[in-house]
Amino acid sequence: MALKKLSSLENASEGTKKILKPILAVVGVILVAALGLQITDNDWDLGKILSGKSWSDSKVVTDTAGNIMRDKEGNIVTEGGKATGDYNCDDFATQADAQKFFDKLGGVDGDVNGLDRDKDGVPCESLPTD
């Protein structure tokens, strides 16, 4: 009886190995690719690539500290822009402009810029509303 249990454990182990080997291989490839991107300071906007944009149009610009550059609408840019955490209320003409940017970056939870000091979901309340 003990031999039967050992045999069934070995069979289960073989089945598990067949499943885990391809999964581990894919994880390994992803990790190597991520390491390569990190070492070469490259990053691409996956959404743009999947929508059919070229690799050069999808490359994300970062500053020397690795911060993603964005435009005033909160979009990731491929040239120009400012680091995500470098925006302040003076960068926007109206509260509505600041609100669009704030919402695009995740609202109160994503407010790395401190645009909403009182955490009420309304950034740059001192700016004109129009």
Side-chain angles (χ1 to χ4, degrees):
M1 184 127 170
L3 289 175
K4 283 185 178 180
K5 285 185 180 179
L6 180 59
S7 176
S8 66
L9 286 174
E10 287 174 354
N11 289 339
S13 179
E14 287 300 317
T16 302
K17 286 180 185 177
K18 286 182 182 178
I19 293 170
L20 286 179
K21 280 184 180 180
I23 292 171
L24 290 174
V26 169
V27 169
V29 168
I30 291 170
L31 289 174
V32 168
L35 178 64
L37 291 173
Q38 182 66 31
I39 289 171
T40 61
D41 287 330
N42 286 308
D43 198 3
W44 283 270
D45 184 344
L46 188 57
K48 287 183 180 180
I49 292 171
L50 293 176
S51 70
K53 300 275 186 186
S54 71
W55 285 93
S56 60
D57 289 339
S58 302
K59 187 169 182 183
V60 173
V61 178
T62 57
D63 64 10
T64 55
N67 297 307
I68 295 173
M69 306 299 270
R70 294 182 182 270
D71 62 15
K72 286 187 180 181
E73 285 78 44
N75 300 312
I76 296 172
V77 296
T78 54
E79 59 184 52
K82 291 175 74 171
T84 300
D86 287 346
Y87 281 91
N88 58 49
C89 291
D90 293 337
D91 292 311
F92 305 99
T94 66
Q95 192 280 324
D97 292 340
Q99 187 74 51
K100 288 178 196 171
F101 179 85
F102 177 79
D103 291 341
K104 183 108 179 187
L105 268 60
V108 173
D109 293 334
D111 189 16
V112 297
N113 301 285
L115 300 177
D116 182 16
R117 299 274 182 213
D118 60 3
K119 308 279 188 233
D120 66 351
V122 183
C124 303
E125 295 174 81
S126 62
L127 290 176
T129 55
D130 293 318

